[in-house]
Amino acid sequence: MSANCFSAPCPDLASGVPANVKELLRERRFALLVGARSTSITGNSLGRIALTFGILSIPGATVRSVALILIVQTISQIALVLFGGVLADRFPRARLMVAADLVSALAYTFLTVATALALPVPLLALGAVPAGAATAVFAPAMSGLLPECVPPGALQSANAVMQVTRRGADLLGTALGGVLVALVNAPAVLALNAVSFVASAGLTAAMRLGRDSRARAAGVLADLRDGWRDFTALRWVWSTVAAFSVATAALSLGQSALGPALAQARWDGARSWSLVLAAEAIGMICGGGLSARIRFRYPLRTGVLFSIGLALPMAALGTGAPLWLTVLAALLAGVCTDIFGVLWTTTLQREVPADSLSRISSYDWLGSMALAPLGLALAGPLTSALGTEAATLVCAAAVVLTSAAALLVRDTWRLTGPQPAP
């Protein structure tokens, strides 16, 4: 990594950021937002596992049934996320998040009843549609709300706290999900997920943000056009989103299909692969924590350089590395993932005007999701043509090349962050 990235006055390791984080958590609105997100993410992680086993418990249901529900939810999310960005730039974001949480609660209440009654899988898909639609509204609103809760100089620390919260809550929910499904049953755990969304809505409502509406005279379609114009006008935004759309597709293929296949062929399958995933999750938490402490003069450039590390686990798998080295690679990739994530999100929030931030963020969310199904669809053709190991190396190369392509944009390379006072 170039020394230029770390040229004075960064990183600011002696900035007393831990105290800064403590001050952030004393801010009522931010603390409520952290509580709301940790509650809903934990519940959603529980629900993800419960939904899978709830569907599989229905007579005649198979893995394809689970895939159908997930596909329906993803498609509704992709189809509506741009409209979600428009809504979040027109109306109070906190109120939209409350509404989205309540819709999610209703959706998972329906799924609770449907799995308890063993309704046909196509009927379960009716619950997946509003769940995906709620996420499409919630995600851009959340991206735009955080800057309203903290001072501008605390954005990076706030994003780091949110990232650590997200990863920790996801780990907790994932760890408890299987245990709770075994102790009680899948519908009961799905009901807990619905309750978690209600609790999240209550905490968000208590923030008392956004009383005034930002509704515009122009219509929704005009706002969509304006959002596209604003998105394409920022070269560092659209080029990074485009690059990482491809990278996300490669990562989706590598982590969801190729990695487990190689773990099954070389080691003991699910147990070894769970070690790789756990190491990556721990690395993400560490990366989020580091992001709260370190300041870079060129945050976007540095974040994109760190993103090259996302290719490490696939490179290890593709070259036949032993399990311990693959686990280490996954740990480092996790660190890189959340350092990039925090620096990217903070740069968006700092550089994009507040009245168009959610629309720009919605394009970012769309880019993160749109090509992932394509990556999975390429699993068969790539492995047939190249073999599993070579296909995994292709995925690693795609991540490296897309990161390098993003760095070719001048604004990405030169964009600076706020500097500490001398």
Side-chain angles (χ1 to χ4, degrees):
M1 195 172 292
S2 168
N4 261 345
C5 294
F6 302 95
S7 58
C10 61
D12 183 17
L13 291 172
S15 61
V17 173
N20 195 18
V21 170
K22 291 179 182 178
E23 291 174 8
L24 275 175
L25 292 174
R26 292 191 190 103
E27 291 284 340
R28 179 176 177 276
R29 290 171 174 174
F30 182 67
L32 286 169
L33 185 61
V34 170
R37 294 301 290 136
S38 59
T39 301
S40 62
I41 291 171
T42 302
N44 216 26
S45 299
L46 291 172
R48 183 172 61 241
I49 295 172
L51 182 60
T52 298
F53 286 99
I55 294 169
L56 292 175
S57 68
I58 296 173
T62 64
V63 173
R64 289 186 179 182
S65 306
V66 177
L68 172 64
I69 302 300
L70 296 178
I71 289 170
V72 168
Q73 184 171 347
T74 301
I75 289 174
S76 63
Q77 191 172 338
I78 291 173
L80 295 173
V81 69
L82 295 183
F83 290 98
V86 167
L87 292 175
D89 280 337
R90 291 172 68 92
F91 301 107
R93 291 169 176 134
R95 292 184 180 181
L96 285 174
M97 289 167 61
V98 170
D101 272 337
L102 293 177
V103 170
S104 292
L106 289 173
Y108 279 93
T109 299
F110 173 81
L111 289 170
T112 299
V113 175
T115 53
L117 297 177
L119 296 181
V121 171
L123 286 179
L124 266 71
L126 294 176
V129 173
T135 303
V137 172
F138 186 96
M142 173 66 195
S143 298
L145 180 68
L146 184 62
E148 300 178 30
C149 302
V150 299
L155 269 177
Q156 183 173 320
S157 294
N159 280 306
V161 171
M162 294 303 298
Q163 200 78 319
V164 171
T165 297
R166 175 187 171 193
R167 303 304 186 188
D170 189 43
L171 270 179
L172 176 63
T174 301
L176 291 176
V179 175
L180 289 176
V181 168
L183 287 177
V184 282
N185 54 49
V189 179
L190 280 171
L192 281 178
N193 189 14
V195 170
S196 76
F197 281 113
V198 175
S200 175
L203 290 169
T204 305
M207 294 170 65
R208 298 176 184 173
L209 278 170
R211 292 179 179 274
D212 56 324
S213 171
R214 296 188 305 276
R216 301 173 179 141
V220 171
L221 292 179
D223 276 356
L224 280 173
R225 288 194 299 269
D226 290 345
W228 175 252
R229 182 197 62 205
D230 293 342
F231 175 72
T232 55
L234 296 169
R235 286 183 297 174
W236 62 271
V237 173
W238 67 256
S239 60
T240 305
V241 170
F244 284 93
S245 295
V246 177
T248 300
L251 290 169
S252 178
L253 172 57
Q255 293 182 346
S256 299
L258 303 180
L262 289 173
Q264 182 70 34
R266 290 182 191 161
W267 306 312
D268 56 358
R271 182 180 300 178
S272 298
W273 188 241
S274 67
L275 287 176
V276 175
L277 296 180
E280 185 177 39
I282 293 169
M284 288 176 180
I285 294 174
C286 294
L290 286 172
S291 300
R293 294 177 172 269
I294 304 176
R295 297 293 180 269
F296 298 97
R297 182 174 182 179
Y298 300 100
L300 186 56
R301 177 203 302 186
T302 305
V304 175
L305 283 168
F306 267 107
S307 72
I308 295 173
L310 275 63
L312 288 172
M314 290 181 291
L317 285 163
T319 54
L323 178 59
W324 70 266
L325 188 56
T326 305
V327 169
L328 178 60
L331 179 71
L332 295 174
V335 173
C336 293
T337 296
D338 271 17
I339 290 178
F340 166 73
V342 169
L343 294 179
W344 166 249
T345 302
T346 303
T347 303
L348 273 182
Q349 293 166 344
R350 188 177 287 141
E351 299 294 330
V352 175
D355 61 355
S356 59
L357 177 56
S358 289
R359 278 174 294 167
I360 298 296
S361 296
S362 70
Y363 281 101
D364 182 24
W365 279 95
L366 180 63
S368 299
M369 297 182 293
L371 295 185
L374 175 61
L376 292 173
L378 291 175
L382 270 180
T383 53
S384 297
L386 303 174
T388 306
E389 291 183 348
T392 307
L393 288 176
V394 168
C395 290
V399 174
V400 174
L401 291 174
T402 52
S403 297
L407 288 170
L408 295 177
V409 177
R410 183 189 305 175
D411 293 342
T412 301
W413 191 255
R414 295 184 177 180
L415 193 65
T416 59
Q419 301 307 306

